[in-house]
Amino acid sequence: MQDAILKFEKLLLENVNHFPTINHNTLEERKPGKWSKKEVLGHLVDSAIHNLVRFTEINYVEKPYQHRPYSQIDLVNLNQYQTMDINELTQLWFVLNKQIVKLMKSVDEKALDYKIVLTDGSVIDLKFLMTDYVEHLEHHINQIKA
């Protein structure tokens, strides 16, 4: 878990000041059927919001935890990330993820084994969900930086 946390912190620190320096046109360019780089960052905001709730709720709700998906495309459109100021969007992304880092650092070792039932019936644990969140974050950061 420690490796995931270190990677997570590095991703945040490397990119919080980088995203606002990306050319405005590059950030907002859309390819057919794809999100712009700003919308990808907005998707990471939505992901942070939902995973912060998941990582918190699992500690006090009935077990096993029932994973609830969310409509990623609808949220990106409804939150209008394409029209947001890049500095505000970056700060929102950064602050939400700093809170997730704080939570990950303080999670009880036993809680990492809490079971999570996905909508397809498969079962994972909190440790997998947290480490997968970091991998998801890295994947989309690489898309933004490409």
Side-chain angles (χ1 to χ4, degrees):
M1 194 66 205
Q2 191 60 34
D3 289 344
I5 292 169
L6 291 172
K7 178 190 242 183
F8 193 2
E9 289 180 312
K10 184 176 184 221
L11 287 168
L12 294 178
L13 293 175
E14 285 177 351
N15 292 289
V16 67
N17 294 318
H18 173 68
F19 293 154
T21 68
I22 299 173
N23 176 279
H24 176 77
N25 292 332
T26 302
L27 283 171
E28 293 191 354
E29 179 187 3
R30 281 189 180 126
K31 294 188 169 109
K34 300 284 184 183
W35 285 328
S36 70
K37 293 177 185 298
K38 271 174 89 174
E39 289 171 319
V40 171
L41 185 56
H43 164 67
L44 290 177
V45 167
D46 293 332
S47 179
I49 291 167
H50 283 81
N51 281 288
L52 180 59
V53 169
R54 291 171 180 151
F55 299 161
T56 306
E57 276 184 342
I58 195 168
N59 290 284
Y60 63 84
V61 298
E62 183 178 331
K63 311 291 185 291
Y65 184 78
Q66 302 296 315
H67 183 274
R68 296 178 313 275
Y70 59 96
S71 180
Q72 299 173 14
I73 294 169
D74 288 336
L75 284 176
V76 166
N77 293 332
L78 287 167
N79 284 304
Q80 303 174 41
Y81 295 121
Q82 183 74 352
T83 62
M84 270 185 88
D85 175 80
I86 189 59
N87 293 301
E88 291 177 8
L89 182 57
T90 301
Q91 284 305 306
L92 181 59
W93 168 79
F94 183 71
V95 170
L96 285 166
N97 280 290
K98 286 293 285 187
Q99 183 61 28
I100 293 173
V101 167
K102 184 177 177 179
L103 184 63
M104 287 173 73
K105 284 181 172 181
S106 67
V107 71
D108 185 293
E109 282 291 317
K110 291 180 209 158
L112 292 173
D113 294 328
Y114 288 163
K115 299 303 176 209
I116 300 165
V117 179
L118 303 178
T119 53
D120 68 1
S122 58
V123 179
I124 59 173
D125 59 26
L126 180 59
K127 181 177 183 178
F128 177 85
L129 190 63
M130 286 181 162
T131 55
D132 187 61
Y133 176 77
V134 176
E135 296 302 317
H136 172 260
L137 183 78
E138 182 178 41
H139 166 75
H140 285 302
I141 285 173
N142 288 337
Q143 287 181 321
I144 294 167
K145 292 170 88 169

